[in-house]
């Protein structure tokens, strides 16, 4: 920005206390403000410290307002003049009011209870409310004997444990919290790709991990029976893998599932052993990718060990008898094999998928000495300031600190585009890597927004941009069309994540012959017992769901012609803590 | 008792109550606690100083009607000297629409709940235009009141006795299937009421001209059945009152200044806040600036699951909500969110004969931030102008929060 231009700019900030809007509404408001005359940039976020950092990065803020709280709605504007800023602020109520229920529309229930009356066959409840309310909503669902897909993050660990224990007692399943992806009988929940139905079942503790494996299986010609998410903490010692064990049990007895894939970051040895024993007791092949865990052998009876997500998909396909081989994205895949040229400079990755960010760090350990991250493998590599990259940096922009009161980067490209420009301006940067995750729940056309930003970045100087597209041609966005847009903008596009990261490694580093540390996991046959809590639910009943929270999840279910009811959820007692406490007290009195 | 059982008990009593109109009588003689110098009024208790225009006008008119004052000036002087006491109708088992003023010599309907044996009372409906309940007290208004008291009421009393009682619960249930919601629309109920009484009126009448006048008066106003229906609802609500540990609302009422509620498990304590101005349709020449704050005891209908709660029964008056029949349906569907039961006898054909939402639970109101929907007439803020429109209003959320705080503070931790 030129100084003269800067001098005429005006920065305005408005704080709205105790107002709740879901993050899709915030994004819509932000876009609507940007379209107003004289408004150069706008930020509409909840008042968390991380969001204030982002506003500062975008030159939308100098100092955060004093006493701003995480529950406050923050509207920051950069406008040509005070008059334009004021005119824009005056529009806010009208812009927000557009959202209110139009007349003559179908009734929108305000609680799961009412929704359950309207749709008595619903067996699943999708919960994506803010984390502090999510456990209560999930509990209401369990009380009505519904299974829960708990997308919300920031749910306290003790609440997760209580929910899962109650669910296990009732024979119900709680996927999550922080469960991004699931596929139940062909219905894609949350962020999930449209994949053909088949005989491979997935249990995953990581949303993008499931998406990557499911999309790759589809692209290799295979199909998915069900994909069950556990949430990122399920495999911790504290939770004890309750959901993962239930899920394995479900898939073990599911007649539509012939092969099972289990994906997770490496659990503690105790949990790993528990799961491996449970898997050994299943009379079906189980492909295991404890991402980063290097097994002693590649196969142990019915267990197959994968090293990457791509590898897991391929192993699962190999376990399916008489499988036909199909070409991958004919015409596009060949370009992945382009000659690798050596580059000097730093590497920056802007991930929307946490599991991919994690896998990338693991793969690049073989090529680069130090990689900083906001979610590093080793705490010594913690990025000091998440708003500024240093040396080689891998960012997980879907991590909590970037998403509290803000839309996930799979839905909103704004943050990634801002960051892409920021990295491209850094003269020491030679390669930028982006993942582009497609599917239901994701942005309807990410390449349309990312491609011009990529072209811009490459126009200023020679910089390599690598894009990994996770998706299928059946996805609403169409993977081939997305790949073409990104390639036309000059990006080097991959559909195999591990291959993309290795290519980056080759370009910028040197493969070292590291001695891999072998973590031995011994399973003695005599100890193989079924440590499984089997839910009462059956996966082959027709899918029907109640959605509480993000309306886009409801819309994506309707787009898939699935039976769904959306709850017009609001925080209890309007978020009034005193009233919430009283209501809890009256409920305890039951 | 735990809250859920207490609420079940309260709402079951509300639903199972069977109010029957059994007779008429002078307020002084039949209403418990009625005194010569006492005026009852709609809504929670209020002082003269805080009373709104229509309520003041009705009180002045009632004193002139009673012969206690010659005119407005002497009526005001009487009140300001402190010689007149005011009390809420609800403290005496009574209800009245709009200002709801009941004075000692007024003839009132006597309703008995045959299931639980409690009684309720309401005054006679004066029809449209300049009427006491909107604060008018001109000679014409007073003359009509005297005719109603001296000619119509005795005839009605004889007819009711001869009829062996009018079952108001059956009447409401039937009217709901004829397009009424029982608060703003009573066209069907009033015809049913007149049909039930007409033969007995004819038999009791001493001359045809009085009979014709009474039949015409009752037939001309579609609100004829409002007052007995309200008293019927009051008998149902009172049957559910004073159930220990129940969080069910048993009174909603407005005095033109405040909106007040009472809760079954919280005894006779009122929770009040400034009443709102209804949103709605205004008669030609009037707008919201002319409107008085919400007024009247007719919210007793919503309290027992009809009125705004039965909006799905009354598509004909959906213009008060927005204009589309679907919105009438949605209005009722929303009320299921804050009630604890569905009515066994009041049903909605369009919803597959589902019962109307009944038994407002203060916990649900506070948790979901959904306040009850009330269909209401709109009074002019100046005494005597009358009704200027009809529409929708909701009680202030504050009263439910205050009630919840009071309820929780009475509980053992």
């Amino acid at each position: 920005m030129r100084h003269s231009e800067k001098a005429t700019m005006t920065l305005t900030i408005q704080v709205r206390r105790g107002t709740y809007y879901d993050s899709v509404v915030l994004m819509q408001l932000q876009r609507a403000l940007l379209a107003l005359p004289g408004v150069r940039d706008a930020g509409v976020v909840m008042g968390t410290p991380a969001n204030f950092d982002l506003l500062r990065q975008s030159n939308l803020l100098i100092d955060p307002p004093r006493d701003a709280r995480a529950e406050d709605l923050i509207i920051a504007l950069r406008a040509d003049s005070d008059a334009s800023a004021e005119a824009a602020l005056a529009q806010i109520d009208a812009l927000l009011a557009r959202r209110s229920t139009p007349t003559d529309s179908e009734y929108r229930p305000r609680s799961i209870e009412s929704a359950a009356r309207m749709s008595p066959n619903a067996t699943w409840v999708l919960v994506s409310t803010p984390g502090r309310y999510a456990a209560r909503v999930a509990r209401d669902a369990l009380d009505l004997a519904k299974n829960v897909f708990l997308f919300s993050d920031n749910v306290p660990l003790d609440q997760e444990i209580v929910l899962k224990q109650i669910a296990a007692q009732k024979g119900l399943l709680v996927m999550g919290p922080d469960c991004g992806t699931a596929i139940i009988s062909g219905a894609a929940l949350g962020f999930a790709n449209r994949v053909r139905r088949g005989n491979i079942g997935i249990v995953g503790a990581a949303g993008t991990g499931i998406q990557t494996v499911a999309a790759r299986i589809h692209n290799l010609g295979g199909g998915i029976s069900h994909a069950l998410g556990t949430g990122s903490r399920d495999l911790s010692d504290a939770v004890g893998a309750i959901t993962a064990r239930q899920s394995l049990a479900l898939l073990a007895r599911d007649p539509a599932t012939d092969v099972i894939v289990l994906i997770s970051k490496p659990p503690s040895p105790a949990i790993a052993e528990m799961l491996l024993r449970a898997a050994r007791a299943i009379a079906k092949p189980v492909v295991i990718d404890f991402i980063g865990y290097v097994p002693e052998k590649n196969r142990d009876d019915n267990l197959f060990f994968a090293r990457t997500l791509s590898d897991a998909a391929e192993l699962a396909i190999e376990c399916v008898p008489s499988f036909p081989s199909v070409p991958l994205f004919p015409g596009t895949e060949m370009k992945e094999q382009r000659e690798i040229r050596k580059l000097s400079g730093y590497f920056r990755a802007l991930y929307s998928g946490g599991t991919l960010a994690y896998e990338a760090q693991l793969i690049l350990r073989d090529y680069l000495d130090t990689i900083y991250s906001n979610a590093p493998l080793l705490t010594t590599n913690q990025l000091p300031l998440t708003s500024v990259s240093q040396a080689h940096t891998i960012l997980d922009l879907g991590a909590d600190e970037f998403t509290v009161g803000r839309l996930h980067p799979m839905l909103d490209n704004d943050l990634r585009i801002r960051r892409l420009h920021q990295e491209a301006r850094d003269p020491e940067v030679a390669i930028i890597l982006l993942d582009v995750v497609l599917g239901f729940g994701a942005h309807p056309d990410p390449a349309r927004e990312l491609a011009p930003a990529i072209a811009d970045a490459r126009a200023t100087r020679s910089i390599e941009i690598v894009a990994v597209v996770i998706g299928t041609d059946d996805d609403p966005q169409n993977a081939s069309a997305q790949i073409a847009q990104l390639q036309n903008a000059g990006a080097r596009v991959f559909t195999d994540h591990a291959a993309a990261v290795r290519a980056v490694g080759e370009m910028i580093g040197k493969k070292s012959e590291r001695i891999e540390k072998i973590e031995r996991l011994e399973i003695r046959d005599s100890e193989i017992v079924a440590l499984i809590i089997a839910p009462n639910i059956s996966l082959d009943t027709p899918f029907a769901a109640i959605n509480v929270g993000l309306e886009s999840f409801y819309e994506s279910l309707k787009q898939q012609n699935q039976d769904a009811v959306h709850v017009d959820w609001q925080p209890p007692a309007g978020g009034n803590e005193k009233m919430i406490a009283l209501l809890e007290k009256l409920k305890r009195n039951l | 008792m735990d809250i859920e059982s207490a609420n079940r008990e309260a709402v079951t009593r509300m639903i199972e109550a069977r109010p029957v109109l059994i007779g008429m009588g002078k307020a002084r003689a039949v209403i418990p606690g009625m005194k010569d110098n006492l005026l009852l009024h709609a809504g929670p208790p209020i002082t003269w100083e805080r009373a709104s225009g229509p309520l003041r006008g009705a009180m002045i008119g009632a004193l002139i009607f009673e012969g206690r004052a010659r005119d407005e000036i002497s009526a005001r002087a009487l009140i300001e000297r402190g010689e007149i006491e005011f009390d809420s109708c609800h403290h005496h088992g009574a209800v009245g629409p709009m200002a709801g003023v009941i004075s000692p010599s007024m003839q009132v309907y006597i309703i008995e709940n045959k299931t639980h044996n409690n009684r309720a009372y309401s005054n006679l409906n004066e029809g449209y235009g300049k009427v006491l309940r909107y604060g008018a007290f001109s000679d014409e208004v007073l003359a009509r009141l005297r005719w109603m008291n001296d000619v119509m009421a005795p005839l009605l009393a004889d007819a009711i006795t001869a009829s062996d009682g009018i079952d108001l619960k059956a009447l409401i249930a039937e009217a709901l299937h004829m397009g009424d919601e029982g608060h703003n629309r009573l066209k069907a109920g009033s015809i049913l009421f007149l049909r039930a009484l007409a033969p007995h009126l004819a038999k009791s009448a001493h001359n045809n001209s009085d009979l014709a006048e009474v039949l015409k008066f009752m037939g001309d106003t579609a609100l004829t059945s409002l007052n007995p229906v309200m008293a019927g609802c009051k008998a149902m609500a009172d049957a559910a009152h004073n159930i220990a540990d129940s969080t069910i609302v048993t009174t909603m009422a407005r005095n033109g200044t405040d909106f007040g509620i009472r809760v079954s498990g919280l005894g006779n304590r009122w929770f009040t806040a400034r009443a709102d101005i209804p949103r709605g349709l205004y008669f030609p020449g009037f707008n919201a600036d002319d409107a008085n704050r919400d007024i009247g005891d007719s919210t007793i209908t919503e309290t027992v699951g009809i009125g705004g709660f039965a909006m799905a029964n009354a598509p004909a008056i959906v213009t008060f909500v927005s204009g589309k029949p679907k919105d009438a349906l949605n209005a009722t569907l929303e009320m299921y969110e804050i009630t604890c039961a569905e009515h066994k006898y009041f049903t909605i054909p369009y919803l597959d004969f589902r019962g109307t939402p009944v038994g407002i639970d203060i916990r649900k109101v506070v948790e979901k931030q959904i306040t009850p929907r009330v269909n209401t007439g709109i009074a002019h803020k100046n005494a005597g102008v009358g009704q200027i429109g009809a529409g929708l209003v909701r009680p202030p959320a504050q009263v439910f929060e205050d009630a919840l705080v009071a309820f929780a503070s009475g509980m053992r931790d």
Side-chain angles (χ1 to χ4, degrees):
Chain A
M1 183 187 305
R2 281 177 292 118
H3 283 291
S4 58
E5 194 183 330
K6 196 170 191 169
T8 62
M9 286 283 176
T10 168
L11 288 183
T12 310
I13 188 154
Q14 194 182 76
V15 179
R16 296 195 162 202
R17 283 273 133 96
T19 38
Y20 167 76
Y21 294 102
D22 80 38
S23 36
V24 178
V25 173
L26 300 186
M27 181 185 72
Q28 286 166 346
L29 178 59
Q30 181 168 319
R31 296 236 163 110
L33 287 172
L34 270 171
L36 294 175
V39 175
R40 290 305 181 89
D41 201 357
V44 180
V45 292
M46 301 310 285
T48 62
N51 283 337
F52 284 125
D53 276 350
L54 291 172
L55 290 177
R56 218 185 274 123
Q57 281 297 307
S58 308
N59 296 318
L60 275 163
L61 180 75
I62 297 161
D63 287 312
R66 238 173 289 169
D67 71 8
R69 300 167 306 180
E71 304 90 81
D72 298 336
L73 175 64
I74 309 296
I75 299 155
L77 289 177
R78 190 169 68 243
D80 290 343
S81 65
D82 288 344
S84 321
E86 269 170 41
L89 287 176
Q91 291 283 314
I92 288 171
D93 286 317
L95 292 170
L96 284 172
R98 279 193 211 159
R99 168 182 180 267
S100 61
T101 318
T103 62
D104 198 28
S105 58
E106 286 304 318
Y107 179 69
R108 285 244 154 137
R110 290 284 296 272
S111 57
I112 299 177
E113 205 183 342
S114 307
R117 262 209 78 108
M118 291 169 70
S119 179
N121 296 329
T123 49
W124 292 90
V125 175
L126 284 64
V127 182
S128 53
T129 64
R132 55 202 282 234
Y133 304 113
R136 164 51 61 191
V137 178
R139 179 64 201 273
D140 288 346
L142 293 176
D143 287 347
L144 290 165
K146 311 288 183 199
N147 300 295
V148 177
F149 171 81
L150 185 48
F151 178 83
S152 311
D153 49 17
N154 297 307
V155 173
L157 179 65
D158 55 338
Q159 293 182 8
E160 173 174 351
I161 293 169
V162 169
L163 284 174
K164 289 189 168 177
Q165 285 170 346
I166 292 170
Q169 278 162 17
K170 292 176 178 258
L172 298 167
L173 197 64
V174 172
M175 298 195 283
D178 198 17
C179 179
T181 301
I183 300 170
I184 309 288
S185 312
L189 311 191
F191 296 103
N193 301 89
R194 177 171 271 174
V195 294
R196 81 177 64 74
R197 296 198 65 180
N199 54 1
I200 299 173
I202 303 175
V203 177
T208 34
I210 296 177
Q211 283 193 273
T212 304
V213 172
R216 187 113 191 119
I217 286 171
H218 172 97
N219 291 333
L220 291 167
I224 302 299
S225 54
H226 311 281
L228 306 173
T230 66
S232 50
R233 289 186 308 223
D234 188 65
L235 273 59
S236 65
D237 287 334
V239 183
I242 295 175
T243 306
R245 287 183 289 150
Q246 284 182 306
S247 301
L248 284 173
L250 270 172
L251 294 179
R253 70 163 190 228
D254 174 40
T257 303
D258 293 331
V259 178
I260 298 171
V261 181
L262 174 64
I263 313 158
S264 162
K265 289 179 188 172
S268 72
I271 296 290
E273 189 175 341
M274 182 196 278
L275 285 170
L276 292 176
R277 278 201 216 161
R280 273 288 299 275
I282 296 171
K284 297 177 182 179
V286 181
V287 175
I288 292 163
D289 182 14
F290 285 152
I291 305 160
Y293 161 72
V294 181
E296 191 180 359
K297 46 189 174 184
N298 291 333
R299 181 172 178 185
D300 184 359
D301 193 22
N302 69 323
L303 307 185
F304 297 80
F305 292 94
R307 297 196 170 208
T308 63
L309 297 165
S310 309
D311 201 16
E314 281 150 27
L315 274 172
I317 295 265
E318 282 170 25
C319 289
V320 176
S322 67
F323 195 83
S325 98
V326 294
L328 266 170
F329 296 105
T332 55
E333 194 67 13
M334 286 310 292
K335 298 187 182 173
E336 291 184 4
Q337 315 302 328
R338 282 191 308 197
E339 151 212 13
I340 302 291
R341 65 189 173 107
K342 291 283 177 190
L343 296 170
S344 63
Y346 288 130
F347 159 68
R348 302 281 158 83
L350 310 175
Y351 276 102
S352 61
T355 312
L356 298 178
Y358 184 84
E359 190 179 66
Q361 291 180 65
L362 285 166
I363 294 171
L364 287 175
R365 279 192 308 190
D366 294 348
Y367 297 89
L368 302 169
D369 288 334
T370 307
I371 304 167
Y372 293 95
S373 177
N374 62 322
L377 298 182
L378 302 168
T379 49
T380 48
N381 294 347
Q382 176 72 45
L383 192 63
L385 205 57
T386 53
S387 55
V388 185
S389 305
Q390 64 182 41
H392 300 301
T393 295
I394 291 180
L395 284 174
D396 172 11
L397 295 174
D400 284 358
E401 67 259 34
F402 290 109
T403 56
V404 175
R406 194 172 216 291
L407 219 50
H408 194 278
M410 283 181 199
L411 268 168
D412 182 3
N413 297 306
D414 185 66
L415 176 63
R416 282 217 293 177
I417 289 172
R418 286 169 195 263
R419 193 65 183 237
L420 175 65
H421 288 311
Q422 181 185 327
E423 304 298 349
R425 278 197 299 271
D426 184 340
E428 292 185 311
V429 171
I431 305 183
I432 300 173
L433 183 144
L434 300 164
D435 60 345
V436 182
V437 181
L438 309 178
F440 293 107
H443 190 280
D445 190 359
R448 184 171 51 84
E449 294 180 4
L450 292 171
I454 290 169
D456 272 2
R458 286 176 48 83
T460 45
R461 68 191 178 86
S462 161
I463 189 164
E464 187 76 51
I465 302 210
V466 175
V468 185
V469 174
I470 305 296
T472 73
D473 278 350
D474 290 349
D475 279 331
Q477 300 91 345
N478 187 290
S480 294
Q482 296 288 312
I483 292 168
Q485 284 188 72
L486 296 165
Q487 284 177 338
N488 290 340
R492 187 186 281 246
V493 182
F494 289 78
T495 58
D496 177 337
H497 179 248
V501 176
R502 278 190 220 105
V504 166
E506 294 292 343
M507 284 189 272
I508 211 148
K510 189 166 166 289
K511 176 128 171 107
S512 64
E513 293 306 314
R514 223 159 43 87
I515 303 294
E516 284 171 344
K517 183 184 163 213
I518 293 175
E519 297 168 47
R520 273 179 65 90
L521 274 177
E522 260 185 59
I523 312 167
R524 289 181 293 275
D525 282 348
S526 61
E527 288 175 19
I528 296 175
V529 283
L531 298 165
I532 288 172
I533 321 152
N536 300 330
I537 58 167
S538 163
L539 290 171
D540 43 25
T541 52
F543 179 83
I546 293 166
N547 182 53
V548 189
L550 290 172
E551 199 174 346
S552 52
F553 288 171
Y554 164 74
E555 283 160 1
S556 104
L557 286 173
K558 294 315 272 184
Q559 198 184 343
Q560 300 172 58
N561 293 317
Q562 299 290 350
D563 184 351
V565 175
H566 180 68
V567 173
D568 182 13
W569 182 86
Q570 291 291 315
N576 179 332
E577 294 294 343
K578 180 184 167 195
M579 287 298 147
I580 293 171
L582 289 182
L583 288 167
E584 283 300 315
K585 180 177 166 186
L586 296 188
K587 277 191 174 149
R588 277 207 314 276
N589 179 255
L590 290 181
Chain B
M1 213 181 331
D2 66 72
I3 295 173
E4 299 303 318
S5 313
N7 286 350
R8 241 186 330 272
E9 161 94 16
V11 80
T12 302
R13 289 177 68 90
M14 196 179 268
I15 291 169
E16 292 300 335
R18 190 168 70 87
V20 175
L21 171 61
I22 57 164
M24 309 237 22
K26 264 198 174 16
R28 179 73 177 86
V30 298
I31 294 183
M34 192 70 198
K35 298 188 292 187
D36 289 334
N37 67 335
L38 177 64
L39 295 181
L40 303 183
H41 62 81
I46 192 165
T47 59
W48 172 255
E49 288 70 28
R50 293 188 67 244
S52 65
L55 181 52
R56 285 182 173 205
M59 284 169 163
I60 290 165
L63 291 175
I64 302 173
F65 171 77
E66 290 288 328
R68 309 272 314 218
R70 285 185 319 279
D71 53 16
E72 180 180 354
I73 295 169
S74 58
R76 282 180 180 274
L78 198 62
I79 291 166
E80 277 154 19
R81 282 202 303 276
E83 291 182 23
I84 303 299
E85 290 179 27
F86 303 129
D87 200 7
S88 164
C89 281
H90 292 274
H91 297 168
H92 302 269
V95 280
M98 290 293 144
V101 169
I102 298 175
S103 64
S105 41
M106 278 184 191
Q107 289 279 348
V108 294
Y109 290 111
I110 305 166
I111 277 83
E112 187 166 277
N113 166 11
K114 296 291 185 187
T115 312
H116 310 102
N117 299 319
N118 58 306
R119 288 191 173 189
Y121 312 88
S122 184
N123 49 3
L124 293 164
N125 197 286
E126 309 159 75
Y128 304 111
K130 293 203 186 314
V131 286
L132 186 77
R133 68 175 188 279
Y134 282 97
F137 52 85
S138 62
D139 291 346
E140 170 203 351
V141 172
L142 293 163
R144 188 193 303 116
L145 280 174
R146 292 198 179 99
W147 174 83
M148 288 165 62
N149 232 42
D150 301 341
V151 179
M152 183 166 95
L155 191 50
L156 273 175
D158 290 346
I160 293 164
T161 308
S163 76
D164 221 17
I166 309 286
D167 188 326
L168 292 167
K169 187 175 181 180
L171 181 144
I172 293 168
E174 192 175 356
L176 289 175
H177 286 193
M178 296 167 72
D180 280 3
E181 40 70 272
H183 185 167
N184 267 14
R185 190 180 200 272
L186 294 118
K187 276 189 180 0
S190 293
I191 290 167
L192 293 174
F193 187 60
L194 189 57
R195 185 200 63 181
L197 284 173
H200 305 293
L201 285 166
K203 215 179 274 181
S204 312
H206 299 299
N207 69 68
N208 279 343
S209 101
D210 281 353
L211 173 64
E213 257 191 277
V214 168
L215 289 175
K216 180 170 166 44
F217 185 80
M218 292 178 72
D220 276 352
T221 166
L223 296 176
T224 290
S225 64
L226 173 63
N227 303 43
V229 161
M230 281 173 55
C233 294
K234 175 66 178 165
M236 299 181 212
D238 277 356
H241 195 53
N242 278 327
I243 305 295
D245 301 322
S246 168
T247 53
I248 297 300
V249 174
T250 46
T251 312
M252 293 199 289
R254 315 89 94 198
N255 57 30
T257 304
D258 300 322
F259 198 121
I261 64 164
R262 297 191 302 174
V263 175
S264 180
L266 291 172
N268 290 338
R269 193 166 158 196
W270 287 91
F271 300 91
T272 64
R274 182 56 76 93
D276 244 329
I277 290 179
R279 285 185 301 107
L281 293 179
Y282 287 86
F283 299 158
F286 297 103
N287 60 44
D289 293 339
D290 303 314
N292 198 68
R293 288 185 188 280
D294 194 20
I295 184 166
D297 281 336
S298 50
T299 30
I300 197 71
T301 56
E302 280 84 9
T303 311
V304 299
I306 60 172
F309 285 45
M311 198 60 203
N313 291 84
I317 57 163
V318 73
T319 40
F320 295 127
V321 189
S322 73
K324 303 281 188 181
K326 177 81 59 67
D327 298 319
L329 198 65
N330 289 351
T332 290
L333 289 172
E334 187 190 38
M335 292 301 97
Y336 288 111
E337 305 275 5
I338 56 168
T339 47
C340 70
E342 298 182 4
H343 211 289
K344 206 162 135 190
Y345 306 101
F346 301 157
T347 59
I348 306 169
Y350 196 53
L351 285 176
D352 218 1
F353 296 90
R354 188 172 174 187
T356 63
V358 61
I360 302 162
D361 185 340
I362 56 170
R363 296 175 304 168
K364 294 188 173 186
V365 172
V366 173
E367 177 170 352
K368 296 186 185 171
Q369 297 282 290
I370 301 172
T371 45
R373 285 172 170 266
V374 171
N375 288 346
T376 191
I378 305 174
H380 197 286
K381 62 186 175 189
N382 295 333
V385 180
Q387 184 175 1
I388 58 169
L392 176 77
V393 73
R394 294 188 190 245
Q398 180 73 41
V399 298
F400 298 94
E401 290 177 3
D402 290 348
L404 191 78
V405 169
F407 194 95
S409 71
M411 280 173 38
R412 275 168 288 127
D413 275 302

